[in-house]
Amino acid sequence: TEEFGEERYCGVGNEVDLLNKIPCYGIICITGDFCNFVVLYFGAFPSTLIYRIRLIRRIVMEQGISIIDRKAEMYEMIMALESDFITNFSMRLTINDIPEKVITHSNKSDNIDGFVSMLQGIGFQAYIEICNNNIDKLNINIEHRNFLNKEFTKIIPIRNNVMHPRPLGVFDYPMLKQIFYSIDQYLDFFCWDNVKSIRTKIIEHPEELRLPPANLKKSNDIIENIPTTMDYEETSFIGRDKEIGQLKALLHKRNVHILCIIGDGGIGKTATAVKLLYDILDDDSFNYELILWVSLKTNSLNKYEFSEIKNSISTISGVYEKLGDFVANKDVEDIPSYLIELSQCYNTLLVLDNLETINTSEIKEFLDSFTEYGQVLMTSRIGLGEMEHRYKLEGMVEKDVMTYMDILLRLYGLEAVFTDLEKKDIATNKLYSNPLAIKWFVRCLYNKQSVDEILKNRTELADFCMSNVYDKLSDLAHRVLDVLIVAAGEISFAELMYYMDCREEDFTNITFAVNDLIKCNFVEDSNFKQNKKLSITNFANDFLRTLTIDNRKLMADFKQKEAKLQAFSQQLLQSRHRSPYTMKSFNIRNNDRSQIIAAYYLMEAISLSYNKEIEKAHLLVGYAKKLSPNYFECNKVDAFIYGTTSQVMAKQEYEIAITNCKDEDELVKMLIVYAGFLLRCNDYMGALDKLDKAKEIDPNIAYLSFERSKVLSCINRFEEAEKVLDDMDISSLSERNQNIFYTRKADIYRRKSEMYDVRDSGNKFILLKNAFEALEKSTNPDKGVYTYMGVLLRALSFLYYDDEAIQYILEKLEHYYTQIRREKSFKDFQIKMREKLEYISNSKLKLELTQYLEDYNEISKSLSDNQGIIYNLDKERKFGFFKNTKYPGGVYFKISNEEKDIQIGNIVEFDNVIETERGNMVQYYHIVK
């Protein structure tokens, strides 16, 4: 042990001194894969055995010699196998027994030493072919052949990794070891003296094991400077078979001139790229003649801390200098041009690792010229932003993550610390399946840090993975991130636009900002592509917590907008419940926030159309369509706006809306709304067709019956229209639907009355009275009922020559004036009645009617401050209101017993207006006119 310590662990410190003091009367032998050391102990003091295992593991790990020892052992194994094959072949075969293609491919086939020299120039695959061609001479049976062709072939790529300076695979050592220690049992027709000798040497004299010669080439056909030492070498490369296969396929495509592997820091971009390159060296389908590698990595994980790499390349000139050192002599002054010239002469692959550390704009011009002839492979957290074909590298799959963590834990002697469930939770949920994060975690654990302490202090890890990228983001991208931080969860793209106060003209810029955040792994890629949802990635979230950002103003603004959106959402629910088939009623599928926000802008578009701002309204609808693509309500509103300018475009949008409906409820709604439009266009049969289709889907919708009755009455099919209503059970209807029922009844009577001309005013008057009586059956009239009363009054105004009709109008005005005076239909009645007023012969009726036709706002302007005009009376409850310019909102007064003849339109004088919680009020007034 003293000799072992001095030669292999010189300078370690107290551990070696302690090891040397342990009593031992035998041999300590370290073997096994991945530092699973076995101590063969002979002698006294067996109680020290467990401690000795842990101590040796710790020393080996601190010195990092396990990889070197492993490669030396594997090299000796392969050399012994090759020597024994050559010895056996040379003793039992001649050159005539060797297949012609084997001789041709031997790299020593022209040597004068002949047969043995030729055998020295071939490899394991050729040995197998020689055996298969000489079964009888070598006494090979079926079992021998199965072993050669199924098991022995597995170590052919392992030999390439060992005999050329390449990183080892995760199963290379155990697989080679298994073949090496069993080959004499499976191939017992050969003599295995060299193999047996090396087995003894590995146990008794491991310090004498040789490493592969430093001058070995990685490839005989490709000039390259691919790195030979990688971070993953302590565990070997794990997984990524699917990803490497896809990357190979992309490199084979002619249109892929620049292939960029993008992903989070530490996700394994560099390791995957290197493994890909080594696979290419052995893949005859690639015809590269020159592979140039430059690493621009500036930081790395050193034990359990992140540190800067000395003399790292961080400029474009550094890239050229590094490449020039490999391919050019000192006389070459223009390295970029020389590299382009090389790519013209040789099939060249240029590999740029960690491109984000330099200014990419400086290298774009060079790459544009280089890729006319050569191909480029890059790794980056950002990418160039253009030119390249991007390949997003995600975290490792769960199986590979668990394998990787198991190996690391065993390597550091921590395999018994966690259960499988705990390992899975830490690796996938806490460390996001990121290889670098897992390695950092295990090393911190080995440094005696607690699990909670490690996971709470991920600042340095997050900073390493994200800081270079964050600094290169645009101001707009930073603003987007600020909103996502405040939102504290996933939001839709529509919500982002709403919270950022954006409009249609900002859509493209925000889209590109989000695209940059996805490329840089600040925003989840898959969630956005599948659901159009924005959420910060786990690593980005950890990193953003390290920044000092004052979001108080943004938070207050966000809450205000959120409250406004919530209120609007409630308004939509109420509107849909109250009147589901009006233009301002919107279906929202599964409380979809994108649809709510789209509806928010659609409502604004409707208001703009009311104000004749048609172009602005269409632009706003177009914006809503972008925020919620294929949302049928967008097409519905667009059709409504087109309804005043282009029936063709309106119909087209209604048809698209129907196509975009996702369920029967939405489809029925659109058929009813579309039918209403066709009715307004006098396309009665078209409207009836849509309503019939809706009825086939759901025959129990009351509104369908109302609309069918309306259409039937429009085409004078009154009996059918009445039957539709009579077949309904009015008692089962809601209060609102009952009111609609009465207005539809009234509408039938009114339309019937239009069948009579002025010469048959009696029948006309009777039908209009029947219509009013239908409305008066409502126990709780709503706006719709009062609006239709205005319609009926206008129809009655055409009977101005009939005193009985005028008297009837006065009766209804006295009773309903307060309720209907603000309705547009009533104002239409006023206009029509004023035109006919001079033709009324009964002066008393004319005077009484005039008071309801005055424009009280105009009259009030001519009054003094203490005068007002009465515009509202309720004689039953004995109160009223008057107004003037000083009190345009009105003044409340009580009707005294003396003022029995008080009428709307009277001018009053008043005194002492009192302000109350309910408004202005007077206690004294008198009529002056």
Side-chain angles (χ1 to χ4, degrees), residues 685-823:
M685 299 313 296
L688 204 56
D689 175 65
K690 302 303 178 191
L691 294 174
D692 287 341
K693 287 180 180 178
K695 188 177 181 181
E696 288 176 8
I697 298 171
D698 190 347
N700 299 317
I701 298 176
Y703 195 81
L704 267 174
S705 298
F706 298 148
E707 290 297 282
R708 290 188 79 252
S709 173
K710 184 177 181 179
V711 175
L712 289 169
S713 64
C714 286
I715 55 178
N716 300 332
R717 289 159 62 175
F718 300 117
E719 289 185 7
E720 292 179 63
E722 287 186 276
K723 187 176 186 310
V724 169
L725 296 179
D726 292 340
D727 287 344
M728 298 178 71
D729 180 9
I730 191 170
S731 63
S732 66
L733 300 178
S734 66
E735 189 175 87
R736 173 170 176 74
N737 280 337
Q738 286 183 10
N739 285 329
I740 296 174
F741 177 90
Y742 294 128
T743 57
R744 290 293 185 267
K745 273 281 191 182
D747 187 62
I748 293 172
Y749 287 126
R750 182 185 67 81
R751 291 183 185 277
K752 275 186 177 182
S753 73
E754 291 176 350
M755 303 295 292
Y756 297 96
D757 57 25
V758 292
R759 291 172 296 181
D760 200 354
S761 60
N763 285 326
K764 194 179 192 75
F765 181 41
I766 291 171
L767 288 168
L768 290 174
K769 285 200 297 182
N770 289 340
F772 232 112
E773 289 169 4
L775 292 178
E776 289 176 322
K777 289 181 181 179
S778 171
T779 56
N780 192 10
D782 59 9
K783 180 180 174 62
V785 171
Y786 290 129
T787 295
Y788 209 79
M789 284 184 177
V791 172
L792 293 179
L793 287 173
R794 188 178 185 283
L796 285 164
S797 69
F798 287 93
L799 301 178
Y800 58 90
Y801 51 84
D802 188 329
D803 287 353
E804 186 180 1
I806 297 299
Q807 183 63 50
Y808 186 80
I809 290 173
L810 284 170
E811 290 175 10
K812 299 308 173 186
L813 287 173
E814 183 176 3
H815 192 75
Y816 297 111
Y817 177 77
T818 299
Q819 290 83 3
I820 65 175
R821 63 187 179 85
R822 289 192 175 92
E823 301 299 332

Side-chain angles (χ1 to χ4, degrees), residues 269-490:
K269 301 183 296 296
T270 301
T272 301
V274 171
K275 181 63 169 62
L276 171 66
L277 294 176
Y278 277 113
D279 281 5
I280 287 173
L281 294 182
D282 297 326
D283 192 334
D284 293 336
S285 67
F286 288 94
N287 59 354
Y288 295 122
E289 298 170 288
L290 180 61
I291 297 179
L292 303 176
W293 168 279
V294 180
S295 175
L296 297 111
K297 188 176 290 187
T298 57
N299 293 277
S300 65
L301 177 62
N302 183 13
K303 290 188 177 179
Y304 49 85
E305 294 178 337
F306 294 93
S307 59
E308 290 188 8
I309 299 174
K310 293 182 180 180
N311 302 318
S312 62
I313 299 172
S314 58
T315 63
I316 186 64
S317 59
V319 172
Y320 296 145
E321 183 179 349
K322 183 70 175 179
L323 291 172
D325 289 342
F326 178 62
V327 297
N329 56 46
K330 294 181 180 179
D331 297 332
V332 178
E333 296 181 357
D334 188 353
I335 298 296
S337 297
Y338 183 72
L339 293 170
I340 294 169
E341 185 179 336
L342 281 176
S343 71
Q344 291 176 294
C345 300
Y346 301 94
N347 290 323
T348 305
L349 177 65
L350 173 62
V351 188
L352 301 172
D353 183 41
N354 280 69
L355 186 67
E356 74 275 356
T357 57
I358 66 170
N359 187 339
T360 53
S361 61
E362 295 178 353
I363 204 170
K364 286 180 180 178
E365 184 177 349
F366 165 72
L367 293 180
D368 190 41
S369 299
F370 181 87
T371 51
E372 287 188 29
Y373 311 99
Q375 204 170 12
V376 177
L377 173 67
M378 300 186 303
T379 71
S380 176
R381 302 178 196 180
I382 304 174
L384 288 173
E386 57 187 63
M387 303 169 67
E388 82 268 31
H389 185 104
R390 298 182 186 90
Y391 183 89
K392 178 73 175 291
L393 191 67
E394 306 286 356
M396 293 194 296
V397 297
E398 185 179 307
K399 173 179 170 290
D400 293 336
V401 168
M402 297 304 293
T403 300
Y404 183 66
M405 191 166 190
D406 281 339
I407 291 172
L408 280 172
L409 289 171
R410 288 202 303 270
L411 189 61
Y412 286 87
L414 303 168
E415 61 267 42
V417 174
F418 303 110
T419 66
D420 287 343
L421 285 176
E422 288 171 334
K423 281 187 289 187
K424 180 180 176 181
D425 178 61
I426 291 170
T428 59
N429 297 331
K430 304 295 193 307
L431 301 174
Y432 322 126
S433 300
N434 183 292
L436 180 72
I438 295 170
K439 180 187 289 188
W440 167 81
F441 172 84
V442 173
R443 288 185 178 181
C444 288
L445 197 66
Y446 178 73
N447 192 46
K448 309 302 182 188
Q449 298 179 43
S450 70
V451 174
D452 290 341
E453 182 184 359
I454 297 169
L455 295 177
K456 285 180 181 178
N457 294 288
R458 288 178 288 189
T459 303
E460 191 178 358
L461 174 66
D463 186 68
F464 172 80
C465 293
M466 308 301 292
S467 59
N468 285 344
V469 182
Y470 182 80
D471 294 337
K472 293 189 176 184
L473 291 172
S474 66
D475 290 340
L476 188 57
H478 285 159
R479 283 180 55 207
V480 171
L481 276 179
D482 289 343
V483 171
L484 294 178
I485 292 169
V486 171
E490 69 173 24

Side-chain angles (χ1 to χ4, degrees), residues 34 70 161 167-174 232 235-237 275:
F34 312 126
R70 191 189 313 160
N161 289 342
L168 297 175
V170 65
F171 299 113
D172 285 2
Y173 177 79
Y232 63 73
T235 60
S236 298
F237 190 83
K275 181 63 169 62

Side-chain angles (χ1 to χ4, degrees), residues 186-253:
Y186 286 101
L187 302 182
D188 54 6
F189 58 88
F190 273 171
C191 176
W192 298 100
D193 290 343
N194 287 297
V195 167
K196 293 174 182 177
S197 175
I198 292 300
R199 289 176 186 170
T200 303
K201 187 177 181 179
I202 289 171
I203 295 173
E204 296 181 359
H205 299 287
E207 73 279 1
E208 295 180 3
L209 296 175
R210 299 169 298 165
L211 283 168
N215 62 351
L216 286 176
K217 294 180 180 180
K218 304 187 194 80
S219 171
N220 294 323
D221 303 314
I222 302 174
I223 302 170
E224 47 71 38
N225 64 335
I226 304 170
T228 56
T229 304
M230 291 302 302
D231 291 341
Y232 63 73
E233 220 169 357
E234 66 181 352
T235 60
S236 298
F237 190 83
I238 296 171
R240 301 294 194 193
D241 293 338
K242 176 183 175 183
E243 291 88 338
I244 289 175
Q246 292 172 338
L247 288 166
K248 283 183 180 180
L250 289 170
L251 284 175
H252 274 303
K253 291 185 176 181

Side-chain angles (χ1 to χ4, degrees), residues 165-179:
R166 303 183 184 182
L168 297 175
V170 65
F171 299 113
D172 285 2
Y173 177 79
M175 190 175 293
L176 176 60
K177 182 179 177 182
Q178 180 185 4
I179 298 293

Side-chain angles (χ1 to χ4, degrees), residues 22-34:
I22 295 175
C24 181
Y25 301 94
I27 301 171
I28 299 175
C29 177
I30 307 172
T31 62
D33 59 317
F34 312 126

